[in-house]
């Protein structure tokens, strides 16, 4: 069974430019998470999807960040415009359903560098 | 407000030794406490988890000890191996319809051969 797929793995952009990250969760997983991981820190939840619905986006900086999960499968996270402080690893995770009984499977992440 | 405090920040252990990583939490609503292991360039992977109704859980060389009254839990890695060298994150989860995990800052474990 394939794991969570993310692309690109690395991205370098100049500040004020837009950037997008793509995630393909494990087949059949209805719940999808986007996390932000700064260097030397643990992952921090940005947004959680249940199928197509964003059920928790309270930590998503909506002035510059947006996300979508069309058809309840793949998801895209976008930043426009990027700032220097956005340099981090963006992790996608999925689980069959939300809840502690369901393990979250993480992808390898996209490392973003904003110059 | 940091809801899950993890220590130490880094840890060096000799092969065969015991690695101990500690976490403390503040929110008594947390009811699920997993530990994740992360290798460089990879995403975190669930290692072991515990619910507050038990004080200890063991899986192979990995043991979680849980102290509900002190709001603390720890990961013990017995017979540590160089392959265990990774970053370890504790986390705390709050159940219900708004389920989410709050992670600690991580501990970089190095096991010397």
């Amino acid at each position: 069974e394939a794991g969570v797929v993310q692309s690109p793995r690395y991205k370098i952009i100049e500040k004020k430019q837009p950037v997008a990250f793509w995630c393909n969760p494990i087949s059949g997983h209805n719940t999808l998470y986007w996390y932000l991981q700064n260097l030397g820190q643990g992952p921090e939840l940005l947004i959680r999807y249940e199928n197509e619905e964003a059920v928790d986006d309270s930590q998503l900086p909506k002035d510059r960040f947006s996300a979508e999960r069309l058809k309840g499968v793949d998801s895209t996270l976008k930043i426009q415009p990027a700032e220097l402080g956005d340099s981090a690893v963006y992790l996608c995770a999925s689980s069959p359903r939300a809840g502690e009984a369901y393990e979250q499977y993480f992808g390898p992440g996209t490392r973003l560098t904003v110059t | 407000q940091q809801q899950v405090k993890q220590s130490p920040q880094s840890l060096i252990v000799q092969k065969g030794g015991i690695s101990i990583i500690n976490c403390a939490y503040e929110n008594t609503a947390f009811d699920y406490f997993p530990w994740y292991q992360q290798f460089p360039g990879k995403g975190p992977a669930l290692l072991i988890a515990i619910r507050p109704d038990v004080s200890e859980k063991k899986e192979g060389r990995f043991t979680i000890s849980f102290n509900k009254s002190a709001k603390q839990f720890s990961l013990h890695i017995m017979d540590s191996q160089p392959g265990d060298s990774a970053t370890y994150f504790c986390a705390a989860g709050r159940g219900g319809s708004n389920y989410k995990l709050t992670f600690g800052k991580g501990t970089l474990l190095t096991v010397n051969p």
Side-chain angles (χ1 to χ4, degrees), chain A residues 9 37 40 48 56 100 106-107, chain B residues 38 41 43-44 89 97 100 105:
Chain A
R9 292 295 314 277
Q37 186 173 27
R48 172 168 66 96
D56 184 357
E100 68 272 16
F106 283 83
Chain B
Q38 186 175 27
F89 294 94
S97 60
K100 63 173 59 178
K105 291 188 174 184

Side-chain angles (χ1 to χ4, degrees), chain A residues 25-99:
Chain A
I26 293 174
S27 177
H29 281 195
N30 296 326
T31 304
L32 184 146
Y33 310 80
W34 281 103
Y35 286 89
L36 166 70
Q37 186 173 27
N38 286 305
L39 186 65
Q41 303 289 320
E44 299 173 37
L45 182 68
L46 289 172
I47 188 169
R48 172 168 66 96
Y49 280 93
E50 296 290 342
N51 298 304
E52 303 90 353
E53 183 182 1
V55 296
D56 184 357
D57 63 356
S58 58
Q59 301 302 312
L60 189 72
K62 300 180 183 64
D63 57 336
R64 297 184 300 107
F65 286 66
S66 64
E68 61 182 11
R69 191 183 184 197
L70 301 177
K71 301 181 180 179
V73 181
D74 295 359
S75 179
T76 302
L77 178 68
K78 299 178 181 178
I79 308 175
Q80 183 171 11
E83 298 179 351
L84 294 176
D86 296 331
S87 296
V89 175
Y90 292 82
L91 294 165
C92 179
S94 71
S95 64
R97 293 178 63 182

Side-chain angles (χ1 to χ4, degrees), chain B:
Chain B
Q1 181 185 14
Q2 186 182 354
Q3 296 196 55
V4 180
K5 295 183 179 181
Q6 183 171 346
S7 63
Q9 193 172 9
S10 61
L11 180 62
I12 300 175
V13 174
Q14 292 299 119
K15 178 182 176 181
I18 302 174
S19 303
I20 302 175
I21 305 170
N22 301 298
C23 280
Y25 64 97
E26 300 168 1
N27 190 343
T28 56
F30 289 140
D31 57 5
Y32 174 67
F33 302 90
W35 284 89
Y36 281 79
Q37 180 188 56
Q38 186 175 27
F39 293 103
K42 305 290 186 181
L46 180 64
L47 193 61
I48 186 173
I50 197 168
R51 299 290 298 270
D53 52 347
V54 297
S55 60
E56 185 176 282
K57 183 175 182 180
K58 182 176 181 180
E59 291 185 1
R61 296 185 294 109
F62 301 91
T63 300
I64 299 179
S65 297
F66 185 81
N67 186 329
K68 187 175 182 178
S69 61
K71 294 189 286 186
Q72 296 175 348
F73 58 109
S74 60
L75 176 69
H76 295 233
I77 306 175
M78 312 299 288
D79 187 26
S80 298
Q81 300 296 312
D84 297 332
S85 297
T87 299
Y88 292 81
F89 294 94
C90 63
R94 194 175 63 217
S97 60
N98 193 28
Y99 173 74
K100 63 173 59 178
L101 285 176
T102 300
F103 286 82
K105 291 188 174 184
T107 296
L108 177 61
L109 173 65
T110 302
V111 181
N112 289 328

Side-chain angles (χ1 to χ4, degrees), chain A residues 16-28:
Chain A
K16 300 185 181 180
Q17 294 300 306
V19 65
F21 315 122
W22 176 80
C23 173
N24 180 240
I26 293 174
S27 177

